C-alpha cells in the first residue's frame, strides 16, 4: 500500500528545534523518513557534524533536490536515499523524524515500535499517532505554532 503524502516543508525555526533535540540527545544516527527537499537532513547534518544523517525519499524530484543540496553544501555526514520509508533500516537510529500526514502514522508507529532500539526517539512533526500519547511535546515559536510530538521507545 502506497500512501500519497503531500510535500510538507519545515521552516527554519522548526529545523533549528530539531537540530537542538539531536544535540540534546547526542544523536549518532538521525533518520528523516520522507525527507522532502532535505531541509531537516541538511540542518541536522550542519549542526551535528559527528552525526550520521540519513534521509529517505521516493518522490523523484524531491529526492534529486535533497541529494543535490546535501552535495552542494558538502555535508559529508548526510546521506539521501531514493528508497521507501517502509524499507528503511531504523535499527541503529537514535532519532527518527517524520513530517508525513495522518494517513501512514499508525503503520509507521508499528514499524518503529518493532524496529527501533530501546531509548531511541521518534519525532513527528504535527501528526499524532492514533491512540498514543507523546512523551514530550515541543511547540516551536513559529507562525503556525508547530508541534513536535516525541515518543521514546
Amino acid at each position: 500500500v502506497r500512501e500519497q503524502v503531500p510535500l510538507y516543508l519545515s521552516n527554519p525555526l522548526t529545523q533549528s528545534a530539531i537540530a537542538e533535540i539531536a544535540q540534546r540527545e547526542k544523536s549518532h544516527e538521525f533518520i528523516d523518513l520522507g525527507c522532502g527537499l532535505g531541509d531537516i537532513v541538511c540542518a541536522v547534518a550542519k549542526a551535528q557534524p559527528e552525526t550520521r544523517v540519513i534521509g529517505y525519499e521516493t518522490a523523484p524530484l524531491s529526492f534529486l533536490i535533497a541529494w543535490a543540496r546535501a552535495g552542494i553544501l558538502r555535508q559529508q555526514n548526510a546521506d539521501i536515499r531514493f528508497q521507501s520509508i517502509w524499507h528503511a533500516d531504523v535499527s541503529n537510529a537514535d532519532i527518527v523524524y517524520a513530517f508525513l500526514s495522518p494517513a501512514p502514522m499508525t503503520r509507521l508507529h508499528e514499524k518503529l515500535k518493532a524496529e527501533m532500539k530501546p531509548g531511541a526517539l521518534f519525532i513527528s512533526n504535527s501528526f499524532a499517532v492514533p491512540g498514543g500519547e507523546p512523551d514530550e511535546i515541543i511547540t516551536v515559536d513559529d507562525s503556525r505554532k508547530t508541534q513536535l510530538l516525541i515518543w521514546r521507545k
Side-chain angles (χ1 to χ4, degrees), residues 118-139:
L121 294 185
F122 168 49
I123 304 171
S124 174
N125 187 330
S126 305
F127 301 111
V129 172
E133 285 297 314
D135 295 307
E136 181 181 3
I137 298 174
I138 294 176
T139 302

Side-chain angles (χ1 to χ4, degrees), residues 8-41:
Y8 292 116
L9 301 177
S10 299
N11 63 53
L13 289 173
T14 301
Q15 294 169 35
S16 293
I18 293 165
E20 287 173 21
I21 295 168
Q23 289 172 321
R24 174 187 87 184
E25 294 293 316
K26 297 175 177 46
S27 175
H28 297 288
E29 184 169 294
F30 180 102
I31 293 177
D32 183 349
L33 298 175
C35 71
L37 305 181
D39 297 332
I40 296 298
V41 170

